[in-house]
Amino acid sequence: MDESTVRQQLRDFILEDLIRDPDYDLEDDEGIVSSGLIDSFSLAQIGVFAEETFGVYIPDPDLTVAKMDTLDLMVARILRDKK
Amino acid sequence: MFTLPDDQFMGLTEITILLIAAFAYILIVPGRWRGWVLLVGSIVGMYWLFPVQNIRWLEYGLATATLVITIVSWFITRPTGKRARKFTNEDRLVVVIVVLMVLAFTFAREVDFLDSLISRPPPLPSVAMALLVVGMLLVLMLRLPPRLQMTFGLLAIIGVFIVIRLPFLTTAAAAFLRQNAGQDASLAAPIDIGWLGFSYVAFRLIHTIRDRQSGLLPALSLREYLTYVLFLPAYVSGPIDRAERFLEDDRALADTRLQDPHRITVGLSRIGVGLFKKFIIADSLAVISLSATLVDQAGGAGSLWLMLYAYAFRLYFDFSGYTDIAIGLGVLFGIELPENFNRPYLKQSIAAFWQSWHMTLSNWAKSYVYSPLSRSLIKQRKLSNGQIVMVANLATMVVIGLWHGMTLPFLAWGLWHGAGLTVHKLWSDRTRKWYRGLRDTPNKQLAWEITGVLLTFHFVLLGWVWFALPDLQSALSTFSRLLGGGA
Amino acid sequence: MLSRQTRQTYTTLLDAACLQSGDAPVVTFVATDAEPIQWTRRDFAGRVRHAAGQLAQFGIQPRDLVIIAHTQHLESMVLFWAALYLGAIPSMFPTLTEKLDPDIYARNLSELVRLSEVKAVFAASEYADFLRGMLACSVYSDSDLLAAPSVDVQPYQAQPEDVAFLQHSSGTTGLQKGVALSHGAVLNQLASYSDAIQLNDRDVIVSWLPLYHDMGLIAGFLLPLVQGVPLVLMSPFDWVRHPALLLKAFAEHRGTLCWLPNFAYNHLANRVRERDSLGLDLSNIRAIINCSEPVRDDSHQRLVERFADNSLRPDMLAVSYAMAENTFAVTQTVPGHQPTIDRVDLAALQQQKRAIPVEAGVPQVSCGRVIAGSQVRVVDDDMQPLSERHVGHIQVRSDCMLTAYYKRPDLQPFSVDGWYQTGDRGYLAEGELYVIGRTKDLIINAGKNVYPQDVEAVINEIEGVHAGRAVAFGVPDEREGTELIAVVAEVDSDDAAEHKRIKREVRSQVGRATDVTISYVTLVERGWLIKTSSGKIARAANRDKWLSQQTVRSEG
């Protein structure tokens, strides 16, 4: 799975399932939890999505606002663990 | 071949005697003596029910061995360290009582009337020797640190279990015992050693040791522990209770109102239902139930299927009837044993089936095999989730299968169900959303539910072939004949 | 153990088991990335006495009100009991989180300090300094407590009718209402409720609930500590991000009981990864009690489906109807038995206000029977009692009700006969209570009360939004098992970038002011919102309009 596919899937997921606004213009480096766009429930949702879609298990101590706040961070983490 | 040879030893006579004993207990025994009566009664009952063995004195030996193993197991599961539980006077009293009872049983050979109660105990010198040997082994074992004691205990119990269940080992042991008893060793066969109730005893003991190892077992006195393991209504064929749960009822015995019409009605009606299921329905079905002998007499596929259906229902009514009797008796005595069956043949999936057939066994296996195995496989990080589920399911069902008997057909039966559970899991993971959507079309949902029940039932039904027949060969040929092929 | 039978042997909360001596565990605090911390009775009682002495040194007197707004659970618990020990009146308060605007938080707290004459606030050191500058009372942080000397104090000899502590209902509009509960009332509740859930000494309570919420305070804190039942506690922030933590705690500590708001069932069912739940044995759970939000049968089913492999059984599900004004529980279903499902005709329910049982009806989950010492009835708009299966206002009367709203003589919660109007609507059937919804426009989002007015007030301040032309309402979400918050605001601009800015502002400003997350933001043109004849925004009508447009969108 290449980077652009991962990025697109994560973007779709964030817009549909987390922000619930498919028309939202999400920046790659926009902090979505820290800005109040989504809440901390969604961190766990990201963990589930990563496991189900990419087969990547992100351990709980790494599912934090600091490490998962932007699309860039999420993409990097998925790609790292997929190797 | 019926899988639980132990099971035939509580017949109508025995149940009637137990009922009379229960009423005597309810009417006569004062609250604070109830626990003691249960203990003494269960020990006497165990010796009494133990079937006569081919090898001289063996029924006595095995019953006594059960007592000894249980006492040792209690000892190694006592809390140690900061929360150590001291050896109390009550514990010492129990040991004295047990020893006196064992000795009394040996003296039974001298006294005529006790002969009907306990047949053929060995002479006193042998008993004394055996006690001495065992005593020395114990002293050695107890020098080990508690953790090693428990590991040793676990291995020893599993070891004994394997010896009495794995046919070639059983035969070897039988030969050894025959020799000791001055009997012909060449006639040794697995049927020589019929250790009544040991399958259940073993699982109860293992459960307490494992719970002690994970720090979850409450402190039990020797009396409580022995009563829990040997409680007579559940001794022969379960249910497999949990010590923590049994303890709750046992400790409340003194205050429980036994002379309560409601309680007595519940107990009696449960026993009544069980008697009907076991001695009327199951026994009637026995005539046409699939078995090694009947299988040869069967005409075509049609009559074989009939026999298989009969077997499935006979097994259910016999076992659940037995459980009803055990639970009913338990209620009369003041102990609420857990349920074993919950309409298993009406379940929509194999997973649901295993949550409703022999529930105490499958719960035990889930807690002590499936869960720890999955957790440790996860830690090793080598397998994917799906693979872990598959391995854990297979392992658990194999253990359950082999618990029934350590022969190839039982192994096959275990694998059969393990495979079924795995397939079900894969299927249900993929169809979860779709199934949830069915709620909007109740007719469609009903149709699927019925399909599920039928599929599950027939999957289990075919699985019983492994159970009913004594070896792989006949099982496979039966399968082939069921499907219309030749033998 | 405290029960209705042994009720007379307890006089005040200071008779609690956690203050006795011995090695029995009182609380174990677990976290995702830290080792568990366990305190025995000896530890706990020692710390409480020490802290009480420190409070005395700070000049806190009996009957003084102290606010505990601490992030650390264990410290909060000790402070709470230390205040009780001293005879002061403690009250737990939500902490300042990263999301909240510190100025708004301080302003709210300052209002509370002023209105209720708060003597001291205990806060985490991260923001204690900041608060000190903003509040009219003393503020103490954990570093103050570490250093402060202690004196020997005698436990306060309280009367059963003395106020023990305050509970604050959530939401800014509700902030000023401090529910004052007496020792006697709380003990009555604990006794009756323990009987209702058949509490025994093999129970272990597991909880992630915040201590400033009535469910977390009573069921997840006072109940285990007073009864001597071990409590396994975790931070709500930790749990929300790592929901599997709850299940691990159950498995490792052989937990038997827990209380959850409805959304938590969905959160657990949807967001615990397979790997985290594989092999977890939940067979020891005796009851999972759904409370604090309208109960949805679908959420129960999701939980059971998801964790059936972990030995979770439907008979572990239970429900309770509770409120701070009754200390906690009013009704409770029987543990070990699945809550009754009443299938009723939806049209009859909504229009005729009658619950008519029909086979293919909408499932209503029972909240159980009323607990001992409490009574419940359903009345019409004229306060006349209704018979069973008639929908009306739910009223409660009991021996564990609030004494009053603290320092608010103007607020009279009780009617003439002592009945309390709960603000909820529902019906009784076969002796069991079914709750349908709220009387007012309150949104209950993830177990939290959210007043639409508060949200609207924030949005009206945002540049680009027409003042007074914004509406907030709740949207039930099946996947989340709770109400999500939707906001519709009228704006002038057509510009996409401007819309994006406004949307971002809406979400962040509301979050910072109220700690609430808006799920749906819809910007509309002028005149879109429906008004009532008197010119006010009609929330319900706008909600329906928005919902119908949503369906059109998703089908289109």
Side-chain angles (χ1 to χ4, degrees):
Chain A
M1 210 172 241
D2 67 328
E3 201 236 330
S4 57
T5 324
V6 169
R7 189 172 286 274
Q8 189 57 45
Q9 285 195 300
L10 275 171
R11 176 180 284 274
D12 291 339
F13 161 69
I14 293 171
L15 293 179
E16 293 277 340
D17 286 337
L18 299 186
I19 309 179
R20 299 163 194 269
D21 189 349
D23 302 326
Y24 189 85
D25 186 15
L26 181 72
E27 312 275 334
D28 287 335
D29 57 357
E30 192 179 332
I32 48 181
V33 188
S34 55
S35 66
L37 203 56
I38 63 175
D39 56 30
S40 31
F41 293 83
S42 310
L43 278 172
Q45 187 78 33
I46 295 168
V48 170
F49 185 72
E51 190 191 53
E52 284 178 358
T53 316
F54 306 112
V56 165
Y57 179 81
I58 305 172
D60 281 337
D62 291 341
L63 270 183
T64 62
V65 180
K67 297 189 185 179
M68 292 280 133
D69 203 18
T70 70
L71 181 57
D72 279 339
L73 281 172
M74 290 183 211
V75 171
R77 185 53 196 257
I78 303 282
L79 290 174
R80 187 196 95 176
D81 286 351
K82 263 204 89 62
K83 291 198 179 80
Chain B
M1 195 214 106
F2 211 84
T3 65
L4 304 160
D6 318 324
D7 162 276
Q8 303 297 343
F9 302 100
M10 277 254 277
L12 271 172
T13 333
E14 285 82 5
I15 294 172
T16 317
I17 297 180
L18 278 176
L19 258 176
I20 298 173
F23 274 102
Y25 167 91
I26 293 174
L27 293 170
I28 302 173
V29 179
R32 62 185 191 281
W33 292 115
R34 284 178 189 157
W36 288 97
V37 169
L38 281 186
L39 172 63
V40 170
S42 296
I43 297 177
V44 168
M46 175 180 62
Y47 277 91
W48 166 51
L49 287 176
F50 229 99
V52 175
Q53 308 281 320
N54 289 343
I55 302 172
R56 210 168 292 152
W57 312 322
L58 191 60
E59 61 277 0
Y60 169 89
L62 292 178
T64 313
T66 313
L67 271 177
V68 170
I69 293 179
T70 309
I71 295 178
V72 173
S73 175
W74 168 79
F75 194 81
I76 63 180
T77 57
R78 288 181 319 146
T80 53
K82 270 197 290 183
R83 308 266 214 102
R85 187 189 172 281
K86 293 193 187 58
F87 201 44
T88 65
N89 282 334
E90 192 200 78
D91 299 332
R92 293 188 183 101
L93 180 59
V94 172
V95 172
V96 165
I97 291 178
V98 166
V99 168
L100 283 176
M101 285 178 78
V102 169
L103 288 176
F105 294 146
T106 57
F107 280 123
R109 64 203 311 263
E110 321 295 336
V111 181
D112 274 337
F113 87 93
L114 275 177
D115 213 32
S116 56
L117 196 61
I118 318 289
S119 52
R120 303 187 294 156
L124 188 55
S126 313
V127 173
M129 259 286 279
L131 279 176
L132 201 62
V133 167
V134 168
M136 287 197 309
L137 278 174
L138 284 180
V139 168
L140 283 175
M141 191 188 86
L142 296 174
R143 283 175 178 283
L144 297 169
R147 270 184 40 215
L148 276 180
Q149 282 177 13
M150 288 192 266
T151 318
F152 181 82
L154 275 176
L155 291 174
I157 294 172
I158 296 174
V160 170
F161 189 94
I162 295 178
V163 165
I164 64 166
R165 293 301 219 159
L166 198 54
F168 82 87
L169 281 182
T170 321
T171 314
F176 171 76
L177 289 169
R178 272 174 177 270
Q179 213 153 25
N180 264 18
Q183 287 167 277
D184 188 353
S186 64
L187 292 173
I191 204 164
D192 283 347
I193 306 186
W195 196 325
L196 184 70
F198 190 75
S199 317
Y200 295 91
V201 166
F203 268 26
R204 290 193 194 107
L205 296 177
I206 293 176
H207 140 63
T208 58
I209 298 177
R210 292 289 295 143
D211 275 5
R212 167 55 54 216
Q213 285 176 324
S214 39
L216 297 166
L217 189 70
L220 290 113
S221 71
L222 180 54
R223 183 188 64 72
E224 288 164 341
Y225 194 88
L226 272 171
T227 317
Y228 157 67
V229 174
L230 303 177
F231 184 59
L232 195 60
Y235 181 78
V236 174
S237 278
I240 303 174
D241 205 349
R242 268 207 157 136
E244 297 89 341
R245 206 221 56 77
F246 187 89
L247 212 56
E248 229 176 54
D249 289 343
D250 185 74
R251 285 188 178 159
L253 267 180
D255 301 319
T256 314
R257 195 173 151 233
L258 291 181
Q259 292 174 10
D260 168 29
H262 174 74
R263 173 182 281 274
I264 295 179
T265 318
V266 166
L268 283 180
S269 48
R270 201 68 197 264
I271 295 173
V273 165
L275 287 171
F276 184 74
K277 277 182 179 173
K278 185 170 160 62
F279 293 103
I280 298 184
I281 304 185
D283 282 356
S284 316
L285 286 172
V287 196
I288 50 167
S289 284
L290 189 65
S291 67
T293 39
L294 277 181
V295 114
D296 295 326
Q297 297 169 20
S303 50
L304 257 188
W305 276 102
L306 190 65
M307 284 187 206
L308 186 55
Y309 278 99
Y311 182 87
F313 285 102
R314 184 217 172 181
L315 183 59
Y316 168 71
F317 283 108
D318 194 301
F319 200 359
S320 74
Y322 184 86
T323 306
D324 287 334
I325 296 170
I327 293 178
L329 281 171
V331 163
L332 292 177
F333 282 112
I335 307 280
E336 307 234 353
L337 294 167
E339 293 291 338
N340 246 349
F341 293 92
N342 183 15
R343 302 199 283 202
Y345 288 151
L346 294 176
K347 296 300 173 190
Q348 294 171 31
S349 71
I350 188 69
F353 171 80
W354 276 108
Q355 283 160 16
S356 44
W357 175 277
H358 205 168
M359 298 191 300
T360 56
L361 177 64
S362 56
N363 287 340
W364 189 99
K366 183 162 256 182
S367 297
Y368 298 106
V369 180
Y370 186 88
S371 295
L373 182 59
S374 327
R375 300 307 289 173
S376 72
L377 285 176
I378 288 178
K379 283 195 189 117
Q380 286 171 28
R381 295 169 180 264
K382 285 193 196 132
L383 301 172
S384 77
N385 291 352
Q387 289 168 330
I388 293 179
V389 168
M390 184 171 77
V391 168
N393 268 328
L394 281 172
T396 309
M397 292 320 296
V398 162
V399 166
I400 291 183
L402 292 179
W403 177 85
H404 286 88
M406 292 198 170
T407 59
L408 284 171
F410 287 118
L411 176 63
W413 178 76
L415 289 169
W416 175 272
H417 277 277
L421 282 171
T422 307
V423 167
H424 164 72
K425 172 104 174 74
L426 291 170
W427 162 265
S428 77
D429 277 348
R430 273 157 192 54
T431 59
R432 190 160 295 157
K433 283 211 178 98
W434 166 78
Y435 200 73
R436 171 168 276 286
L438 272 186
R439 291 223 217 123
D440 301 325
T441 51
N443 285 335
K444 235 178 152 191
Q445 188 182 22
L446 187 62
W448 272 106
E449 284 175 7
I450 296 178
T451 313
V453 170
L454 288 173
L455 267 175
T456 308
F457 176 75
H458 285 90
F459 179 79
V460 172
L461 184 72
L462 286 170
W464 292 134
V465 173
W466 302 109
F467 234 56
L469 294 158
D471 55 71
L472 274 185
Q473 182 78 342
S474 38
L476 289 169
S477 85
T478 309
F479 272 119
S480 142
R481 286 170 64 192
L482 281 168
L483 298 171
Chain C
M1 224 182 229
L2 175 61
S3 67
R4 283 195 78 80
Q5 240 187 337
T6 62
R7 174 66 182 88
Q8 295 315 312
T9 60
Y10 287 71
T11 330
T12 71
L13 287 175
L14 294 180
D15 293 326
C18 61
L19 295 178
Q20 314 296 327
S21 57
D23 288 323
V26 169
V27 60
T28 307
F29 187 79
V30 298
T32 300
D33 51 4
E35 289 299 301
I37 304 174
Q38 190 183 79
W39 285 354
T40 61
R41 285 183 195 174
R42 201 186 307 275
D43 295 328
F44 191 77
R47 285 167 196 268
V48 166
R49 281 189 270 271
H50 182 81
Q54 292 176 309
L55 294 185
Q57 286 284 69
F58 291 154
I60 294 176
Q61 306 272 332
R63 308 292 85 201
D64 279 345
L65 178 58
V66 298
I67 300 282
I68 302 166
H70 221 296
T71 47
Q72 294 308 316
H73 275 57
L74 291 176
E75 310 309 323
S76 306
M77 290 166 62
V78 169
L79 284 169
F80 188 93
W81 281 94
L84 285 178
Y85 198 83
L86 207 52
I89 301 175
S91 183
M92 298 291 201
F93 194 77
T95 57
L96 179 60
T97 62
E98 295 166 333
K99 213 172 153 189
L100 281 174
D101 186 308
D103 289 316
I104 300 179
Y105 178 85
R107 208 172 41 226
N108 290 336
L109 188 48
S110 171
E111 263 297 284
L112 180 63
V113 166
R114 190 183 62 81
L115 279 174
S116 306
E117 295 162 26
V118 172
K119 185 69 186 294
V121 169
F122 292 87
S125 39
E126 298 93 73
Y127 50 92
D129 288 327
F130 160 73
L131 282 177
R132 227 169 251 133
M134 312 278 281
L135 301 177
C137 63
S138 315
V139 177
Y140 300 102
S141 72
D142 23 343
S143 39
D144 292 325
L145 284 164
L146 266 178
S150 177
V151 286
D152 261 337
V153 284
Q154 289 306 307
Y156 182 70
Q157 298 300 321
Q159 296 303 310
E161 40 316 334
D162 286 345
V163 171
F165 58 87
L166 301 191
Q167 284 200 70
H168 284 101
S169 358
S170 59
T172 35
T173 317
L175 194 60
Q176 292 89 333
K177 285 203 307 213
V179 174
L181 296 165
S182 68
H183 286 270
V186 176
L187 287 173
N188 285 341
Q189 159 76 205
L190 293 178
S192 303
Y193 195 56
S194 300
D195 284 349
I197 57 172
Q198 298 162 9
L199 194 70
N200 59 71
D201 53 22
R202 285 203 310 119
D203 275 321
V204 173
I205 293 178
V206 182
S207 173
W208 58 263
L209 300 166
L211 297 176
Y212 52 79
H213 191 282
D214 66 345
M215 193 163 53
L217 182 68
I218 307 294
F221 174 42
L222 289 180
L223 179 67
L225 264 65
V226 168
Q227 296 287 43
V229 161
L231 171 66
V232 179
L233 197 59
M234 65 200 76
S235 150
F237 304 107
D238 199 1
W239 174 77
V240 159
R241 289 154 209 220
H242 313 119
L245 186 59
L246 181 71
L247 304 176
K248 288 189 188 130
F250 263 114
E252 275 162 29
H253 300 268
R254 279 274 205 241
T256 61
L257 294 171
C258 98
W259 283 260
L260 299 174
N262 195 80
F263 84 88
Y265 290 71
N266 291 60
H267 191 57
L268 285 166
N270 297 336
R271 301 200 180 110
V272 171
R273 286 168 294 191
E274 177 102 55
R275 203 160 190 90
D276 289 330
S277 68
L278 253 186
L280 273 187
D281 187 359
L282 302 176
S283 58
N284 215 52
I285 298 180
R286 193 158 74 75
I288 302 175
I289 302 171
N290 194 332
C291 191
S292 101
E293 262 197 292
V295 174
R296 293 151 214 267
D297 187 45
D298 180 70
S299 305
H300 282 181
Q301 297 205 21
R302 280 177 192 249
L303 191 75
V304 172
E305 266 166 34
R306 170 69 181 83
F307 297 112
D309 283 342
N310 302 87
S311 307
L312 193 84
R313 301 181 315 267
D315 62 49
M316 293 172 182
L317 299 170
V319 181
S320 174
Y321 172 62
M323 62 197 63
E325 284 84 354
N326 201 54
T327 309
F328 179 54
V330 176
T331 68
Q332 172 68 51
T333 60
V334 181
H337 296 262
Q338 258 187 289
T340 319
I341 308 281
D342 192 36
R343 293 188 185 275
V344 295
D345 183 58
L346 187 61
L349 194 67
Q350 287 174 336
Q351 286 146 26
Q352 299 163 40
K353 311 260 194 293
R354 295 191 52 208
I356 302 175
V358 292
E359 261 202 48
V362 175
Q364 303 294 325
V365 183
S366 163
C367 292
R369 291 172 193 283
V370 76
I371 66 174
S374 294
Q375 297 167 287
V376 90
R377 73 178 185 183
V378 174
V379 299
D380 60 16
D381 291 332
D382 300 317
M383 303 295 133
Q384 293 307 307
L386 293 166
S387 53
E388 285 207 346
R389 292 200 172 272
H390 281 89
V391 178
H393 306 284
I394 299 174
Q395 291 188 331
V396 172
R397 187 169 68 178
S398 76
D399 60 4
C400 47
M401 302 213 76
L402 76 167
T403 309
Y405 288 112
Y406 194 70
K407 298 231 196 280
R408 293 297 305 271
D410 56 308
L411 290 176
Q412 172 51 262
F414 301 105
S415 75
V416 173
D417 298 323
W419 286 97
Y420 169 70
Q421 185 91 331
T422 63
D424 292 314
R425 290 176 58 244
Y427 64 93
L428 287 162
E430 284 92 48
E432 300 192 39
L433 180 67
Y434 294 81
V435 179
I436 310 285
R438 297 284 302 179
T439 314
K440 303 183 184 68
D441 278 333
L442 187 67
I443 305 170
I444 305 184
N445 166 257
K448 218 163 34 163
N449 289 347
V450 179
Y451 294 87
Q453 311 90 283
D454 298 340
V455 175
E456 288 156 7
V458 174
I459 299 175
N460 285 326
E461 300 291 310
I462 294 173
E463 204 188 297
V465 173
H466 281 126
R469 313 293 300 174
V471 67
F473 46 82
V475 178
D477 187 276
E478 199 191 277
R479 199 186 77 173
E480 299 302 324
T482 189
E483 282 190 303
L484 298 179
I485 304 179
V487 150
V488 182
E490 284 183 2
V491 292
D492 258 335
S493 166
D494 268 343
D495 180 39
E498 179 68 356
H499 274 212
K500 181 169 177 186
R501 180 195 67 79
I502 295 176
K503 281 186 180 178
R504 188 178 289 167
E505 282 291 301
V506 165
R507 289 187 142 110
S508 81
Q509 295 291 356
V510 172
R512 291 174 68 216
T514 63
D515 201 15
V516 140
T517 303
I518 309 284
S519 298
Y520 301 99
V521 181
T522 310
L523 301 179
V524 294
E525 73 278 4
R526 239 194 159 157
W528 188 98
L529 286 174
I530 300 173
K531 293 190 301 242
T532 64
S533 46
S534 49
K536 286 192 164 165
I537 308 281
R539 278 198 200 103
N542 283 306
R543 179 168 170 272
D544 293 337
K545 184 173 176 183
W546 182 86
L547 278 172
S548 61
Q549 293 204 345
Q550 291 297 98
T551 350
V552 167
R553 268 184 77 190
S554 54
E555 283 166 14

